[in-house]
Amino acid sequence: MPPPRRGKSKLKGKGKFGKDKKDRGQRALFLRRKFCRFTADKVEWIDYKDIEVLKDFINENGKIIPARITGTAAHYQRQLSAAIKRARFLALLPYTDLH
């Protein structure tokens, strides 16, 4: 006789804690398709002097928001992080919220 399977739930179509997969609570209401803002605008290069654009991609603590949150394409995310770091070095953007 084979050993019993572990990790399999007896509740079909349900998650780990027995909740239905379709019932995702409040997150389902605000689910929006992510898109790359720079690809949509056909931006060639992200400029470090364009502070208004760069501010949208750093949070209130001064950290760079990851691409999985913003939906930015990898090519532009690399340019974006370099532009933010360059703008910080030139004191156009703060390193942290304490400055």
Side-chain angles (χ1 to χ4, degrees), residues 41-88:
D41 294 340
K42 295 183 174 77
V43 173
E44 251 183 72
W45 193 258
I46 299 174
D47 191 15
Y48 69 92
K49 293 173 277 191
D50 195 1
I51 302 303
E52 295 305 315
V53 172
L54 298 181
K55 279 184 182 178
D56 294 338
F57 294 94
I58 60 171
N59 64 12
E60 55 273 357
N61 295 332
K63 291 183 176 181
I64 299 172
I65 301 174
R68 63 186 165 80
I69 305 291
T70 60
T72 306
H75 172 73
Y76 289 112
Q77 184 69 21
R78 287 190 293 271
Q79 288 182 27
L80 182 68
S81 63
I84 289 173
K85 290 173 186 179
R86 193 168 286 148
R88 284 176 178 165

Side-chain angles (χ1 to χ4, degrees), residues 18-52:
K19 291 183 179 178
D20 194 351
K21 286 183 181 178
K22 292 179 182 176
D23 181 33
R24 298 195 182 200
Q26 293 294 330
R27 282 192 308 180
L29 294 176
F30 299 106
L31 188 63
R32 190 183 323 149
R33 174 101 170 97
K34 292 181 193 168
F35 69 97
C36 180
R37 184 167 142 181
F38 303 109
T39 305
D41 294 340
K42 295 183 174 77
V43 173
E44 251 183 72
W45 193 258
I46 299 174
D47 191 15
Y48 69 92
K49 293 173 277 191
D50 195 1
I51 302 303
E52 295 305 315

